[in-house]
Amino acid sequence: MNNRFLSSLTDKQTLNLFAKFFLVSMLILATVCLVLFKLASFDLWLHLKTGQLVLNQGFPKTDPFSYTIKNSGWIAHEWLFGLIFYSLYQVVGSVGLVLIKVKLVLAIIAGVYFSNEQSRRNFWISMPLLFVAILASRFRLLLRPHLFSFLFLALYYLAYRRWREGQRKWLLLFPLIMVFWSNIHAGSVFGLVFLALVFLGELILSFISWGPEQALERGKLVQWLLISLLTGAAALINPYGYHTLLLPFTLRSMQDIPLLKLVEWLPFPLSGHYLLYGYFALVSLWLFVRVKKLSPVAILLYGFYAVLLLSARRGVPYWAFLTIPFIEDSFQGLSVRKIADSPWRIFFVTQVVGLAMVIISLVIVIRPHPIYRFGWGVRYDKIPRKAADFVIRENIRGRMFNSYKLGGYLIWRLSPERKVFLDGRASLYQDLFRRRSAYNVEQMIDYYGADYLIVDYQEKMPFSLEYEPEPKKWALVFWDDAARVYLKRIPRFRRLIDRYEYRVVKPTDNGLSFLWRHKDNLREIELEIRRATEGSEYNLRARIFSAGLSFVKKDTAAAETLFNSILKRKPDPTILFSMATLLHRLKL
């Protein structure tokens, strides 16, 4: 019995199967490590609120959330995403949403892998390629509607390959997916581009012999043309018709508006992204050398995804994931038999590659990051939860001015009783951005007659207020790491200002100048810092200020204890910068 068991371990087929199982397991583990991070996207909350709105009132035609656009037309093109995830949120909460996001990413990986027969033939190449795609795309693997565009394009290629192999029933998948896609994400227009490029590639192949595939019969080309037309009609089955398909072009054209340079619509600069562009150059060069192994369809699709990558950073995942089948195709005629012929060599290489993927993932996860914090739930140190609580509890009313990034969450918490100044739906605020190019932030606040401010600490953003506003006009009444709340000095806010105003402590003062300006009033400083600390558990800035106060009072032991407690909470780089500024000021 023992001899039979030992001999089975050295059997080539058994060891090969074990090696594949191990590598897949390590890829899944590495993926979970990289994409299991807390919810930190402000736009997610806008999607959830939209889903709630659709559920309770039907499809919106005009905007109900902002007072600066005065009920202008609104194409809620991602309404189905909002409806689905709002309903899920009611059942599974924020923890469940994070886990669902992880499953979505794993589904994308599976869709890419099974979309090409070569994936199984070149298994040892496919696994590392998928891992690299996860690394390159991690910054976009947020719980947002574009995840479905990655998944649906992978399924489109899978359906195309199966249809080309003679399985005609897969054609039905194209219009069926499109009905959902056009109501979930405006990336559905890429599905129509996919269909057009496949048709063009197959048409080219019918005239020119190229690559390993045979030209299709004319009848199959007609089939593809008809299903493409049907899918185009399916794309119009949404509450806003063809306007949904035009939205990506609208957003792209807005890049010419001063100050409205949406970061995700700009390409990554070469500086600081040498690995990404180096990988892109290496893959492109390899495919150029092996171009005879690619079909015209593969060449056209690769070119399309490459254009997406080079034109906008949001295009990186399309290229990283969806070109993997073409890379696999390019290895036709090559083999890894020198490794595959030795079962123990397979075992060793698999162990090294699998463990390397997990170790790289763990190293990335351990490093503090301002957005991607490993875990589940919500990053409330980045979300203005406590600021919204304060506004609701104290029944603060009037016109709000808010920072651009905070708008989505403030809509979730404060609408419909309160309307925001702006949010992440940039296409609705073109006039606002044009006006901002002529006025500074405080002039915009006066122009729109704001009564209270909810602002973050973000620098170099068109509507950010990284400094303290004019103290004669505004009183700081709440602050933590996520946001600050200011009230205008008008009679109806006098009671709140008398009770909550921070008269000495200034959260934007990283150098703690107020400590030296008010050395004779340390007791008031201590009370204000304590109030800020007790008012929000997400206030590491207040703890840093408390440590600075301890140093001024010559209580170094208390200061060191506070610094150690801050570091244990793995603060993001902005908080670490505040600590470094304080230590430099204290010459420590």
Side-chain angles (χ1 to χ4, degrees):
M1 180 69 178
N2 289 335
N3 290 336
R4 187 179 302 171
F5 175 73
L6 290 173
S7 63
S8 69
L9 285 179
T10 58
D11 177 70
K12 179 178 177 180
Q13 186 175 2
T14 303
L15 202 55
N16 189 48
L17 186 63
F18 173 79
K20 288 184 175 181
F21 175 78
F22 177 81
L23 197 56
V24 170
S25 301
M26 292 299 100
L27 176 64
I28 293 173
L29 179 59
T31 301
V32 171
C33 287
L34 288 171
V35 303
L36 184 67
F37 47 79
K38 294 183 178 182
L39 301 174
S41 170
F42 295 99
D43 287 343
L44 171 64
W45 305 100
L46 174 61
H47 290 304
L48 298 185
K49 193 69 175 183
T50 303
Q52 183 188 47
L53 182 69
V54 170
L55 187 65
N56 295 332
Q57 301 179 25
F59 304 114
K61 297 295 184 181
T62 57
D63 170 67
F65 299 135
S66 172
Y67 68 87
T68 56
I69 48 181
K70 298 179 181 177
N71 292 320
S72 64
W74 174 35
I75 301 172
H77 61 287
E78 296 163 337
W79 69 270
L80 185 56
F81 175 88
L83 180 62
I84 292 171
F85 281 90
Y86 171 74
S87 302
L88 289 171
Y89 181 71
Q90 300 305 305
V91 177
V92 300
S94 59
V95 174
L97 292 189
V98 173
L99 298 178
I100 290 169
K101 192 271 301 266
V102 173
K103 293 179 181 178
L104 260 177
V105 175
L106 292 174
I108 293 168
I109 292 174
V112 171
Y113 178 78
F114 289 108
S115 67
N116 193 9
E117 183 65 29
Q118 294 296 327
S119 297
R120 277 150 280 178
R121 296 176 185 172
N122 293 310
F123 175 85
W124 313 107
I125 297 168
S126 302
M127 294 296 106
L129 286 174
L130 287 167
F131 177 67
V132 172
I134 290 289
L135 288 178
S137 307
R138 185 181 184 232
F139 76 101
R140 288 290 291 168
L141 299 181
L142 306 166
L143 185 56
R144 298 272 295 278
H146 58 247
L147 288 182
F148 285 94
S149 284
F150 307 154
L151 176 61
F152 290 155
L153 277 171
L155 293 178
Y156 263 32
Y157 192 73
L158 169 65
Y160 160 65
R161 297 303 307 175
R162 295 296 181 271
W163 167 76
R164 209 181 193 287
E165 292 165 3
Q167 302 179 49
R168 198 166 57 174
K169 61 183 180 182
W170 285 85
L171 284 176
L172 297 176
L173 203 60
F174 292 102
L176 183 62
I177 286 177
M178 184 55 73
V179 170
F180 290 96
W181 196 353
S182 64
N183 290 280
I184 286 179
H185 188 231
S188 56
V189 70
F190 294 156
L192 301 181
V193 173
F194 175 94
L195 295 170
L197 291 178
V198 168
F199 180 77
L200 179 60
E202 294 292 356
L203 195 63
I204 292 172
L205 190 59
S206 67
F207 290 100
I208 303 172
S209 178
W210 184 277
E213 295 181 341
Q214 298 296 317
L216 294 175
E217 298 175 357
R218 183 173 297 179
K220 295 205 74 172
L221 281 176
V222 172
Q223 271 183 22
W224 187 264
L225 184 59
L226 291 175
I227 205 66
S228 298
L229 293 173
L230 181 60
T231 305
L236 300 177
I237 304 176
N238 67 78
Y240 308 99
Y242 69 90
H243 294 288
T244 296
L245 301 176
L246 296 179
L247 194 64
F249 305 102
T250 302
L251 290 171
R252 189 70 188 174
S253 66
M254 288 166 50
Q255 294 299 91
D256 296 330
I257 299 175
L259 298 178
L260 189 52
K261 295 289 185 183
L262 299 177
V263 172
E264 60 188 31
W265 283 95
L266 297 174
F268 278 120
L270 180 61
S271 176
H273 298 91
Y274 297 114
L275 285 177
L276 173 64
Y277 285 116
Y279 178 58
F280 171 73
L282 184 65
V283 170
S284 299
L285 180 62
W286 170 256
L287 294 183
F288 178 76
V289 172
R290 301 285 296 175
V291 70
K292 280 290 187 180
K293 297 297 180 181
L294 303 179
S295 68
V297 169
I299 294 171
L300 289 172
L301 288 175
Y302 182 84
F304 172 61
Y305 298 138
V307 168
L308 291 181
L309 177 143
L310 294 173
S311 60
R313 59 193 67 188
R314 63 162 48 202
V316 171
Y318 291 100
W319 177 84
F321 279 114
L322 302 172
T323 60
I324 288 176
F326 315 142
I327 302 173
E328 294 164 346
D329 287 342
S330 70
F331 279 87
Q332 292 180 68
L334 301 177
S335 69
V336 290
R337 286 185 179 176
K338 289 184 178 179
I339 296 176
D341 286 343
S342 170
W344 290 107
R345 196 175 293 167
I346 289 176
F347 182 79
F348 175 75
V349 172
T350 303
Q351 294 278 320
V352 171
V353 173
L355 292 175
M357 290 193 297
V358 173
I359 290 170
I360 291 170
S361 302
L362 291 175
V363 168
I364 292 172
V365 167
I366 290 170
R367 294 176 60 192
H369 193 280
I371 298 176
Y372 313 114
R373 178 70 59 83
F374 180 80
W376 40 81
V378 181
R379 280 205 65 178
Y380 284 118
D381 59 323
K382 291 293 181 183
I383 302 293
R385 178 190 187 186
K386 290 295 183 178
D389 288 345
F390 180 84
V391 169
I392 293 170
R393 185 177 69 247
E394 302 301 331
N395 195 28
I396 296 172
R397 301 279 180 162
R399 283 199 166 190
M400 177 202 314
F401 175 91
N402 61 274
S403 300
Y404 177 73
K405 287 190 174 181
L406 303 185
Y409 182 79
L410 294 176
I411 286 173
W412 167 251
R413 289 296 309 280
L414 303 180
S415 179
E417 291 82 7
R418 300 165 183 85
K419 293 193 175 186
V420 299
F421 178 76
L422 83 167
D423 58 84
R425 299 168 298 162
S427 61
L428 297 181
Y429 296 97
Q430 297 181 49
D431 291 339
L432 199 65
F433 277 90
R434 288 190 181 96
R435 186 170 290 117
R436 171 65 182 88
S437 64
Y439 300 97
N440 63 36
V441 175
E442 294 203 47
Q443 288 172 329
M444 292 289 288
I445 292 171
D446 291 339
Y447 181 88
Y448 283 96
D451 299 308
Y452 63 102
L453 320 176
I454 305 178
V455 292
D456 58 17
Y457 301 86
Q458 189 79 29
E459 296 182 1
K460 298 178 181 179
M461 292 288 288
F463 294 95
S464 288
L465 196 66
E466 65 269 20
Y467 53 86
E468 294 294 319
E470 174 58 48
K472 292 181 181 180
K473 293 174 62 176
W474 299 97
L476 174 67
V477 293
F478 175 87
W479 61 279
D480 62 5
D481 290 343
R484 297 166 283 149
V485 179
Y486 297 88
L487 298 181
K488 197 170 187 178
R489 294 188 186 276
I490 53 179
R492 62 190 170 97
F493 288 147
R494 185 174 298 156
R495 180 186 61 83
L496 292 176
I497 291 173
D498 290 343
R499 181 178 180 184
Y500 292 111
E501 182 180 8
Y502 289 86
R503 294 174 174 82
V504 182
V505 176
K506 304 301 176 187
T508 57
D509 186 358
N510 289 327
L512 274 70
S513 300
F514 61 84
L515 281 175
W516 281 266
R517 286 199 308 270
H518 302 277
K519 288 185 70 172
D520 297 332
N521 199 9
L522 295 183
R523 179 57 181 167
E524 184 174 357
I525 292 175
E526 184 177 6
L527 290 174
E528 288 190 359
I529 291 175
R530 183 182 301 169
R531 176 155 58 93
T533 306
E534 293 172 352
S536 174
E537 63 270 35
Y538 315 108
N539 204 337
L540 295 185
R541 289 174 187 268
R543 288 165 175 79
I544 292 173
F545 291 174
S546 183
L549 178 62
S550 297
F551 272 118
V552 171
K553 294 167 66 175
K554 310 298 183 183
D555 189 354
T556 55
E560 289 176 2
T561 300
L562 281 166
F563 275 137
N564 289 332
S565 68
I566 293 168
L567 291 172
K568 285 179 181 178
R569 295 180 67 170
K570 296 181 180 179
D572 63 43
T574 57
I575 301 299
L576 292 173
F577 175 76
S578 297
M579 290 180 63
T581 304
L582 171 61
L583 293 172
H584 177 73
R585 179 68 184 264
L586 296 169
K587 295 181 170 54
L588 295 175

